[in-house]
Amino acid sequence: MEAIEVVAIIILIIAIVILVYYYLLNSPEATKKLRSYVPTTADAHMNEVLGSDDSGYELTKVDEESVEKDSNSVGKRIKVKLSDIDMSSLNTDLFSKKIDSFLDEKSDELIKDWCLATTDDLEELESKFSKTTGQVDTLEKSFDEFKKSSEEFQKVTEEKLSDLDKRIESLENK
């Protein structure tokens, strides 16, 4: 893999993380649904073992008005660490499809906003490069021909000047 491909992949991963962050930040419904799947304890079934009636899947004790007021911070709305999430209960395929569809819809904007190059841009640049190198080669050949003819012209001119100098000297000596 070339360095530019690695950079492009890293940029896409960062873009996905940012999109997920803003999606969770701006959609309280998604946050509520995520809280219904995520347990509040480290072990989802610890309450069953201890015999507690608490299911461990309740929302945090924050009223909805304060959630809307504090919508600037995802960390305030989600009180669970990523390591505490039981990944087997989350549907990653559905989430991946949603991210893919979002990226498909917004890809033109992302490319434009981040000044990314597409394969079409690269092909256009390659064609311009090959055209330019061809023109540079042609100019170089023309310059070499001009240089040769210029050297020949300079020699002929020098011979004529030396001949004229000799004639002038001979006229002056007479």
Side-chain angles (χ1 to χ4, degrees):
M1 217 189 274
E2 293 182 16
I4 197 160
E5 292 173 341
V6 172
V7 170
I9 290 171
I10 290 171
I11 288 173
L12 283 176
I13 290 171
I14 291 170
I16 289 171
V17 169
I18 290 171
L19 290 173
V20 168
Y21 172 77
Y22 281 109
Y23 174 75
L24 290 175
L25 180 71
N26 293 321
S27 77
E29 298 86 24
T31 306
K32 288 179 184 178
K33 192 171 186 177
L34 181 65
R35 286 183 184 159
S36 70
Y37 289 121
V38 177
T40 57
T41 61
D43 187 1
H45 303 289
M46 183 60 76
N47 292 328
E48 294 174 7
V49 173
L50 295 174
S52 173
D53 291 337
D54 189 19
S55 65
Y57 289 91
E58 291 182 17
L59 295 176
T60 57
K61 304 296 182 192
V62 179
D63 57 8
E64 292 184 21
E65 294 176 54
S66 65
V67 169
E68 291 176 8
K69 290 178 185 176
D70 296 333
S71 65
N72 293 336
S73 173
V74 174
K76 292 180 182 178
R77 292 189 285 163
I78 299 175
K79 302 288 182 181
V80 183
K81 294 181 181 177
L82 288 177
S83 61
D84 296 338
I85 297 174
D86 182 19
M87 295 304 284
S88 63
S89 65
L90 293 176
N91 188 353
T92 56
D93 292 334
L94 180 62
F95 189 67
S96 296
K97 288 178 183 176
K98 286 183 180 180
I99 289 175
D100 288 341
S101 66
F102 180 79
L103 287 175
D104 289 341
E105 292 173 9
K106 302 292 182 177
S107 63
D108 292 336
E109 290 177 27
L110 287 173
I111 289 169
K112 189 175 185 180
D113 290 346
W114 290 5
C115 301
L116 300 175
T118 61
T119 53
D120 295 336
D121 296 334
L122 292 176
E123 289 171 358
E124 182 180 336
L125 285 173
E126 287 175 352
S127 68
K128 286 181 180 180
F129 177 75
S130 63
K131 183 179 178 183
T132 304
T133 54
Q135 290 176 346
V136 167
D137 291 340
T138 305
L139 283 173
E140 191 172 342
K141 288 177 184 175
S142 297
F143 177 73
D144 289 340
E145 290 174 8
F146 172 76
K147 191 175 176 182
K148 283 182 182 178
S149 66
S150 172
E151 289 172 357
E152 292 172 4
F153 177 75
Q154 191 176 7
K155 288 179 185 177
V156 169
T157 306
E158 285 176 9
E159 289 174 3
K160 287 182 180 180
L161 284 175
S162 67
D163 186 43
L164 283 174
D165 284 339
K166 288 178 185 177
R167 289 171 69 191
I168 290 174
E169 282 181 26
S170 70
L171 287 174
E172 286 177 353
N173 289 339
K174 283 190 183 181

